[in-house]
Amino acid sequence: MAKLISQDALERLWKEKLIRLAPRLKHQQADLLPLHFKDELALDSVEILDLYSSFMDLFALQLKADKQTYLYQYNTASECILAVLKHLEKAEQLHFKSSGSSGKPQGQSHSVDTLIAERNFWADLWQDSEAVYYCVNGMHIYGFIMAFLVPSKLKIPGQYFSPLDWNSVVQRMPENSLIIAFPEALEHCPIGLKFPKKSRLISSTAPLRPALQNRILEAGLELYKVYGSTETAGIAYAKNESNVYQLLPFWSARQNTLLNRLNGNEEKFLDHISWQSEREFTLGARVDEVIQIAGHNVSLPEISQKIQAAFPQLIKEVWLRKMALDEGRRLKAWLQMKDLSSLKEENKAEIYQWIETHLPAAARPKHLTFSSNKALNSLGKLSDWSIHD
């Protein structure tokens, strides 16, 4: 079996998970990997359990019962990494978590063969890259493939950076750099920032605003927009200003579905699409009214129904919409009340409090508009509203 990931990349992944679990370790001068989790890194039992279970889940180690791959027996990341590398010599699948349309973690397995095929495709496409810089989470499938598998194949260094640290990281980048990001992180990229020559920026997880896309191209970057999901991995990509997506070579169109010829899986599109040719399409809105908030999928119908169901005596109907750019980056809600005239301030406070305590962070509307009317126009379509009115 072809080698999936290099030891160097796997060590980076463990270090980043350790620092994400315990940010204080970022300032640790010694190499984190050989240090005892409890005695030297001072991780508590919850942190250690999170660390074990994250990698046991990612590499599907729960499916094996042999002692070699049971990570709980090891006390350092170095020992765990060697066990994982040994396991990967014969591993058949990996397992990735998604926020899902409701914000609840869901799992999806992918065969090692399909991950290798996608890794090889991107590595061939960007074979002249000299380094990878990324601000994505390597435990998610997009980050794992782009920031860890691709550098492993190309034998080039990879480095994580904070989405708030664009200026300093760009100064360190060589020419031919590969930058792995997502729209929310790109919003923090300063206007006018110039990047090294022949560098590429890869974006995924959500559509790019036209103005943001223009800013990237004006910065001198070659842009790749990747289309896919945790359930499918990469499906297609569009380049630069084009909105036409090209299927990856192992995907084929089948009427309203897609066939992955590597594993025989047939997948439904999550978005309305318009075919331009046998292997090219443009994207429309989500079929299930799922949008991305702060990198998490949020189902608008599901959240609307939950808010309404929590206050049946007060609320007649709920509409959700993403805030306008000058309003913020979260959700706003329009609540049609059954009797607006009798609505009290304590009722409003109760609704706000329920939202804060019962909904996932990304799914919480940060502004509520209380009205006796529907948030629909004369054609029955959702109308926008301003939170400043």
Side-chain angles (χ1 to χ4, degrees):
M1 178 182 291
K3 189 174 183 179
L4 177 69
I5 187 171
S6 67
Q7 182 169 340
D8 174 71
L10 192 54
E11 289 175 351
R12 279 195 290 115
L13 187 61
W14 274 78
K15 286 178 184 177
E16 288 169 21
K17 179 63 178 179
L18 280 167
I19 291 171
R20 192 171 284 113
L21 274 176
R24 65 183 181 276
L25 297 179
K26 185 177 182 179
H27 308 290
Q28 172 72 258
Q29 298 300 312
D31 183 4
L32 301 177
L33 301 182
L35 301 182
H36 193 284
F37 292 142
K38 183 178 180 180
D39 296 343
E40 295 175 285
L41 296 180
L43 297 179
D44 61 34
S45 58
V46 174
E47 291 169 331
I48 295 172
L49 182 61
D50 189 322
L51 186 66
Y52 286 141
S53 60
S54 293
F55 285 98
M56 290 283 288
D57 188 47
L58 173 63
F59 294 106
L61 291 169
Q62 302 95 323
L63 303 179
K64 294 176 69 67
D66 59 277
K67 184 179 179 181
Q68 174 69 29
T69 58
Y70 195 69
L71 296 187
Y72 301 106
Q73 68 183 302
Y74 302 116
N75 294 309
T76 70
S78 293
E79 293 172 304
C80 291
I81 289 168
L82 292 178
V84 170
L85 287 171
K86 183 71 174 178
H87 162 72
L88 287 175
E89 292 177 4
K90 297 182 180 179
E92 295 182 355
Q93 61 184 3
L94 270 67
H95 187 260
F96 298 90
K97 286 184 177 179
S98 166
S99 63
S101 60
S102 65
K104 299 176 182 178
Q106 298 177 349
Q108 179 66 42
S109 295
H110 287 273
S111 74
V112 169
D113 289 341
T114 60
L115 293 171
I116 287 175
E118 182 173 345
R119 177 202 69 182
N120 291 349
F121 172 79
W122 299 121
D124 288 344
L125 194 62
W126 305 319
Q127 58 184 301
D128 61 340
S129 299
E130 296 182 17
V132 172
Y133 293 81
Y134 55 96
C135 55
V136 293
N137 186 343
M139 303 299 286
H140 297 162
I141 191 166
Y142 168 58
F144 185 75
I145 291 174
M146 296 298 184
F148 293 89
L149 298 192
V150 171
S152 293
K153 176 66 175 178
L154 293 175
K155 296 182 173 60
I156 58 175
Q159 181 179 329
Y160 176 82
F161 70 95
S162 166
L164 303 177
D165 197 27
W166 284 95
N167 277 309
S168 61
V169 75
V170 168
Q171 293 175 6
R172 303 194 299 270
M173 287 182 183
E175 293 185 3
N176 297 307
S177 286
L178 195 60
I179 305 156
I180 315 300
F182 56 100
E184 188 79 13
L186 292 168
E187 294 285 357
H188 297 286
C189 185
I191 296 175
L193 188 63
K194 294 299 181 182
F195 288 77
K197 295 179 181 178
K198 300 179 182 178
S199 292
R200 303 178 178 97
L201 188 140
I202 320 304
S203 180
S204 190
T205 75
L208 283 173
R209 293 188 299 110
L212 185 55
Q213 176 174 289
N214 291 339
R215 190 195 308 173
I216 293 167
L217 296 174
E218 289 170 0
L221 289 164
E222 188 175 51
L223 173 63
Y224 287 81
K225 296 163 285 189
V226 177
Y227 178 70
S229 68
T230 303
E231 292 72 23
T232 63
I235 291 175
Y237 72 94
K239 190 174 176 181
N240 294 330
E241 67 277 353
S242 175
N243 292 318
V244 178
Y245 284 80
Q246 304 175 50
L247 288 175
L248 270 60
F250 41 85
W251 286 98
S252 298
R254 275 193 173 183
Q255 296 181 340
N256 295 324
T257 62
L258 288 167
L259 175 68
N260 187 322
R261 298 195 304 275
L262 294 173
N263 54 26
N265 290 348
E266 198 163 354
E267 305 285 349
K268 291 183 178 180
F269 274 104
L270 296 176
D271 306 84
H272 293 285
I273 58 108
S274 176
W275 287 104
Q276 307 299 301
S277 70
E278 190 175 288
R279 301 194 59 78
E280 297 180 323
F281 61 89
T282 56
L283 287 172
R286 286 275 300 218
V287 173
D288 54 5
E289 294 188 68
V290 169
I291 65 171
Q292 283 226 342
I293 301 292
H296 295 271
N297 288 337
V298 177
S299 170
L300 300 188
E302 181 174 343
I303 300 303
S304 297
Q305 189 277 330
K306 285 184 176 181
I307 297 172
Q308 182 179 351
F311 300 93
Q313 75 284 9
L314 296 175
I315 301 174
K316 187 174 183 180
E317 200 160 356
V318 177
W319 291 270
L320 295 174
R321 198 179 185 108
K322 197 171 184 177
M323 288 180 171
L325 288 176
D326 64 340
E327 296 173 335
R329 295 175 182 168
R330 303 295 289 274
L331 288 176
K332 57 185 177 182
W334 181 285
L335 280 59
Q336 183 187 18
M337 312 307 296
K338 290 186 174 181
D339 186 359
L340 184 64
S341 62
S342 63
L343 186 67
K344 300 176 181 179
E345 289 302 316
E346 50 261 42
N347 297 138
K348 295 181 181 180
E350 184 184 1
I351 295 172
Y352 269 110
Q353 178 63 24
W354 184 92
I355 287 172
E356 290 298 315
T357 56
H358 288 79
L359 295 179
R364 297 169 192 162
K366 288 301 181 181
H367 185 277
L368 307 181
T369 297
F370 300 91
S371 176
S372 59
N373 302 316
K374 296 183 176 182
L376 305 176
N377 61 23
S378 59
L379 298 176
K381 294 183 178 181
L382 181 63
S383 298
D384 198 6
W385 64 91
S386 173
I387 68 173
H388 302 308
D389 293 343

